[in-house]
Amino acid sequence: MPDLHDATRGRLLYGADYNPEQWPEETWQEDVRLMRQAGVTTVTVGVFSWARLEPTPGAYEFGWLDRLLDLLHAHGIGVVLATPTASPPPWLGHLHPETLPRAENGTTVWYGSRNQFCPSSPTYRRHAAAITEQLAARYGAHPALVMWHINNEYGTHCWCDATAAHFRRWLRDRHGTLDGLNSAWGTAFWSQHYADWDEILPPRQAQYIRNPAQLLDFARFTSDALLECYTAEHAVVARHSPAVPVTTNHMPFWRGQDGWAWAKEQDVVALDIYPDPADALGAQHGALVQDLARSLAGGPWMLMEQAAGAVNWRPVNRPKPAGLMRLWSLQAVARGADAVCFFQWRQSRQGAEKFHSAMLPHSGPRNRVYREAAALGADLDRLGPAVAGAPVPADTALLHDWDAWWAGEQPGRPSELLDYRENVTAWHRALWEANHTTDLAHPAADLTRYRMVVIPSLYLLTDTALDNLAHYVRTGGTLVCGWFTGVADHQDRIRPGGVDARLLDVLGLAAVHQWWPLNEGETLRCTGTEDFPSSLWAEELETAGAETVARYADGDLAGLPAVTRHAYGAGAAWYLSTRPEPDALRALLTRAARAAGLRPTVEGLPAGVEAVRRGELLFLLNHGPEQAKCEVPGHWDDLLTGHRLAATVALERHGAAVLRPAAP
Ligand code: GLA
Ligand code: GLA
C-alpha cells in the first residue's frame, strides 16, 4: 500500500486547499506565480467542486479542471485531488430528497450549506461513486497527482428510514439475534423489549432519557456507515492509481468517528488543526491533536488544514500575531507532520468563509500573512531533507478510545460536568508542560514499549483492554489511572461490583463505594506530600494493598484516600480519584514518571518552552510571552538559521530552533 512517503519523497509538503472555481482563470496565473514564490509544493483541489464538475446529473464538465491541473503541473506544483462528495449539488437533494439527512426529530437538513448527505442513502452513494469514478478515470495517471483526498471532515449524522434499515443490518451483524440485541441493550428495563427487527429505530427524539446502549451502538454504527462511504471511494481511486496514497481529513479531536478504525483504512492520516490564537493554551491543544494524528498514523502524518490567521466560526475570531503561524507549523513538524497545509490558498470574497483567513489575504501579497507564509515555505524547504519520515520517540502513552468517550458522555450519568475531551486535554497538558512527549494509544494496544501509561478516564474498558493493562503493569509498566475508569463493559453494562475486579486488583483497591461528583466551582483540599486543591469529581475508596499518596482533607470524604499507589507485579499502579488542579496534576504525573525512570526531553527549560525530539533533531519552541534562554548541553547546528551553537539557545517570543547535533 502506498503511504505518505510516496507523496513527500523526502521533503515536506507545503500548501493549501485551492478553490479556484471562485475566480476567473486569469487569476489562476497570478495564483501559481505567488504559490511558487511562497514555496508551495502541493495544493488540494476540488474539495467542494461537485456542482462545477457535474452541473446537471450525468453531464460532466472537466475542461476547467484539465486546464488547472496542467497549469499547476507546468509550475511544478503537485495536486492532492479531492472527491467532491462532502457537498452534493442542489440537484441531488432536489431530485432525490431521500439523500438529505433527517435530524433526530425527523426534520430534513436541506441543501444551501454543505455536508447534506445521508451516509446510508443508496442514491447518495451511487452518485458519489459515479463522480469519483469519473475523476479517477480521468486524472488517475495525471503527472500532477500526488495524493487522493476523499470527501472532507466526515461527520454527518442521519436518523432517516434508510438509516434505520441500515442500522438494523448493522445490529444483526453485531448481535446476531433479537435475543442478543435485547440482552445487549438491557431492554428488560422500561418495557423496551423488541419482538421484531422492524421495530428497531435509530435513537430518534424521545420523551425522556434514551437507552444508553442503543445510543452507543448508534454512535458506532454512524462511524462505520461513514467509513463505508470512505472505503467505497478509496477503492475506486485506488483501482485507477494503485501507487497514489489516499487520505481523508479529520476535524481536530473529533468525536464522531472511531479514529483507530479509520486509520487502518487510510494510507495517510490527515488532520485539520485550529487552536485559538487568543487561547493561552492554544499550543497545547495543537500538541494534543498532533500527538493523536501521529499515534493514529503510527508515524508521519499530514496537517491538511490550519488557518494562516483567523477562522470565522468562533464567537470572536482572533488573527495570529507575527510569528505564531510559523511557530505552530514547526510544532506540527516536530510532532511528526510531513505536510503543512492551510485552508485556504486565496481568501474568498463571497460565500460562507469570506472572513476566514488564507495564505493570500484580501489585501494581497504585501500582507504580513503572505510574507510569513512565504518565509515558512523557505523554512520547510530547508528542513525537509533532515526531517521528512523521521520518527518521534515517546516513552509515555495516554490511553484514548472513542467507545469510552461515547459511552461515558451520555445523559443519565453521575455528572454532566465530566467532559471527555476536556479531561484528556488536562492530563495531556500536564505531560506537555513537563516536556514528556506522549503518544495516544488504544487501551488494547501493545503498551510494552512505554515506560508510563496514563488513563485520564475510560468509563468503558473491554475485557481485552483490562487484561492488557494488568499485563502491562505486572511486567513492569507504570500506570497512572484516573477516576471513573473500568466501570462499564463493551455494551455499557456496569461491571459487577461497580468497577472491574481486575482493575481494582491492579490498583490495590477493595472497592469504589460511591461516585462523589462536585459542583461547578467546588473544590476539595487534599493532603499528602504536598497539599493541593482538587475539583470536578471525588470517590469513596476502600484500599486493599495500595498506599495512600494523598487524602481528602475536607468535605464529606475527609480522611479517605484520594490518590493511591500500588506495587503490582514488577510495576506500579497509581489511582487518582479526583482531579488535582493543573500544577498538582503536573507534579503528580512528574513524580510517577520519575519513579518510572523517565526524564523530560530537556531538563530545566524555562516555562513555555516546548522541546520535542524528531529523529536526531531537537525542536525548541517558545510559546511563552517573552524571550527565553535555553540551556541545551552540547554543540548544535540550527537548521533554520544555519548557525552553529554551543549550550545556550536564545529564543525570541514565538521563536523556534531546530537543532542537529554537531561536532565540537
Ligand atoms: C421518577 C420515575 C421513576 C424514576 C425516578 C428517578 O420518579 O417515576 O421511574 O425514573 O423518577 O428519580
Ligand atoms: C474545516 C473545513 C474547511 C473549512 C475550515 C474552516 O476544516 O474542512 O473546508 O471550512 O474548516 O476553518
Side-chain angles (χ1 to χ4, degrees):
M1 282 214 318
D3 64 19
L4 184 51
H5 178 76
D6 295 296
T8 62
R9 295 175 192 277
R11 53 191 184 141
L12 298 172
L13 300 184
Y14 184 55
D17 277 26
Y18 182 35
N19 299 303
E21 57 267 51
Q22 301 173 94
W23 315 101
E25 294 195 18
E26 305 85 80
T27 307
W28 302 359
Q29 301 293 335
E30 188 192 26
D31 283 331
V32 288
R33 183 175 59 77
L34 291 172
M35 283 176 190
R36 291 283 301 181
Q37 196 175 297
V40 165
T41 65
T42 325
V43 289
T44 301
V45 167
V47 182
F48 296 111
S49 302
W50 194 341
R52 186 70 186 265
L53 292 169
E54 191 182 2
T56 56
Y60 297 101
E61 285 187 8
F62 288 116
W64 68 276
L65 192 52
D66 293 351
R67 292 191 292 283
L68 181 74
L69 263 56
D70 291 347
L71 175 71
L72 290 165
H73 182 60
H75 289 80
I77 296 168
V79 169
V80 177
L81 189 56
T83 66
T85 52
S87 193
W91 59 254
L92 188 69
H94 179 65
L95 295 175
H96 304 286
E98 75 278 14
T99 62
L100 298 170
R102 295 291 180 107
E104 285 168 81
N105 64 3
T107 56
T108 301
V109 177
W110 292 97
Y111 46 86
S113 176
R114 65 180 188 189
N115 303 95
Q116 74 288 357
F117 64 89
C118 162
S120 297
S121 160
T123 313
Y124 164 73
R125 289 189 179 197
R126 201 168 54 246
H127 283 274
I131 182 82
T132 300
E133 180 70 38
Q134 291 285 329
L135 278 170
R138 193 170 186 97
Y139 301 110
H142 196 285
L145 181 69
V146 298
M147 204 186 299
W148 286 104
H149 172 311
I150 305 295
N151 200 282
N152 192 68
E153 291 189 338
Y154 276 107
T156 311
H157 282 59
C158 179
W159 285 259
C160 75
D161 289 343
T163 301
H166 190 193
F167 186 39
R168 284 177 209 126
R169 290 196 298 278
W170 184 95
L171 290 166
R172 273 179 196 264
D173 282 348
R174 182 175 176 89
H175 300 293
T177 61
L178 267 183
D179 282 350
L181 177 132
N182 279 304
S183 161
W185 286 9
T187 57
F189 195 60
W190 281 3
S191 181
Q192 291 177 349
H193 181 88
Y194 291 99
D196 189 319
W197 285 100
D198 286 345
E199 296 166 1
I200 297 169
L201 294 172
R204 292 179 179 159
Q205 185 175 312
Q207 188 71 19
Y208 189 43
I209 301 174
R210 290 171 292 182
N211 184 306
Q214 181 187 8
L215 289 168
L216 173 60
D217 272 352
F218 186 65
R220 291 167 165 154
F221 157 79
T222 299
S223 175
D224 286 356
L226 288 166
L227 185 54
E228 282 175 16
C229 293
Y230 170 80
T231 53
E233 293 185 29
H234 183 143
V236 172
V237 298
R239 178 157 44 76
H240 287 279
S241 42
V244 177
V246 187
T247 190
T248 184
N249 54 335
H250 295 282
M251 292 177 230
F253 217 132
W254 66 100
R255 189 175 193 277
Q257 302 88 53
D258 178 346
W260 300 115
W262 280 65
K264 289 188 192 133
E265 306 294 335
Q266 295 169 241
D267 299 333
V268 173
V269 169
L271 250 65
D272 304 340
I273 304 186
Y274 290 100
D276 185 350
D279 180 353
L281 284 171
Q284 187 245 319
H285 289 283
L288 168 60
V289 184
Q290 291 155 13
D291 289 346
L292 174 61
R294 181 187 66 252
S295 305
L296 290 173
W301 54 280
M302 177 171 192
L303 172 51
M304 181 69 89
E305 293 179 22
Q306 61 172 339
V311 299
N312 70 326
W313 40 260
R314 290 196 171 93
V316 175
N317 297 295
R318 193 79 76 85
K320 290 180 175 166
L324 188 61
M325 186 262 282
R326 173 178 184 263
L327 179 66
W328 285 359
S329 299
L330 292 173
Q331 182 193 34
V333 174
R335 293 184 178 272
D338 274 1
V340 173
C341 303
F342 295 86
F343 175 84
Q344 58 180 330
W345 160 252
R346 180 186 281 271
Q347 188 170 19
S348 298
R349 288 185 51 216
Q350 290 180 288
E353 300 190 309
K354 60 187 185 295
F355 287 116
H356 195 292
S357 62
M359 290 176 83
L360 184 58
H362 289 147
S363 71
R366 286 179 44 248
N367 191 299
R368 171 175 63 79
V369 171
Y370 175 79
R371 287 185 279 116
E372 284 192 30
L376 176 62
D379 283 337
L380 297 179
D381 185 49
R382 265 194 298 279
L383 292 181
V387 172
V392 178
D395 293 331
T396 306
L398 181 155
L399 302 192
H400 161 59
D401 183 23
W402 274 266
D403 264 4
W405 188 354
W406 294 329
E409 280 202 343
Q410 294 186 1
R413 60 205 165 114
S415 170
E416 289 192 2
L417 299 181
L418 286 185
D419 178 326
Y420 183 92
R421 198 167 8 205
E422 187 185 273
N423 195 37
V424 166
T425 303
W427 283 59
H428 180 272
R429 173 186 169 185
L431 295 163
W432 178 78
E433 286 176 341
N435 272 310
H436 287 294
T437 306
T438 302
D439 282 346
L440 280 81
H442 187 275
D446 178 7
L447 302 172
T448 48
R449 69 190 148 115
Y450 298 109
R451 304 285 285 270
M452 181 167 85
V453 166
V454 305
I455 301 180
S457 177
L458 287 173
Y459 161 77
L460 179 156
L461 282 172
T462 62
D463 289 340
T464 314
L466 287 157
D467 292 338
N468 190 43
L469 291 173
H471 171 79
Y472 170 72
V473 182
R474 198 181 308 116
T475 54
T478 292
L479 173 68
V480 185
C481 181
W483 55 92
F484 205 43
T485 290
V487 178
D489 74 3
H490 62 289
Q491 270 311 138
D492 198 15
R493 292 182 197 94
I494 302 293
R495 295 281 184 181
V499 172
D500 184 79
R502 283 161 291 191
L503 184 64
L504 291 176
D505 189 40
V506 172
L507 297 171
L509 300 177
V512 181
H513 291 297
Q514 309 260 11
W515 312 122
W516 216 278
L518 305 178
N519 280 315
E520 195 112 53
E522 188 181 355
T523 56
L524 292 179
R525 201 160 59 79
C526 300
T527 53
T529 325
E530 282 149 47
D531 282 16
F532 59 89
S534 72
S535 61
L536 184 72
W537 185 265
E539 293 175 2
E540 193 180 320
L541 295 186
E542 181 188 341
T543 55
E547 63 178 285
T548 296
V549 174
R551 281 181 195 286
Y552 294 107
D554 57 11
D556 295 314
L557 301 180
L560 292 181
V563 178
T564 61
R565 183 184 176 283
H566 185 227
Y568 179 81
W574 301 62
Y575 188 62
L576 276 62
S577 70
T578 186
R579 186 177 73 185
E581 54 86 28
D583 287 347
L585 182 57
R586 188 178 63 246
L588 274 167
L589 292 186
T590 305
R591 191 169 148 194
R594 286 204 172 257
L598 283 169
R599 290 287 173 272
T601 305
V602 175
E603 307 253 13
L605 286 176
V609 176
E610 173 180 354
V612 189
R613 286 195 188 281
R614 185 164 183 199
E616 60 164 353
L617 305 178
L618 174 63
F619 284 69
L620 295 175
L621 307 154
N622 183 15
H623 303 291
E626 35 202 59
Q627 204 206 50
K629 265 220 167 97
C630 309
E631 302 302 325
V632 275
H635 292 79
W636 307 90
D637 288 323
D638 184 344
L639 300 188
L640 291 170
T641 60
H643 295 159
R644 169 94 22 126
L645 302 164
T648 305
V649 183
L651 299 174
E652 296 305 319
R653 176 175 185 235
H654 298 153
V658 181
L659 305 179
R660 182 160 55 193

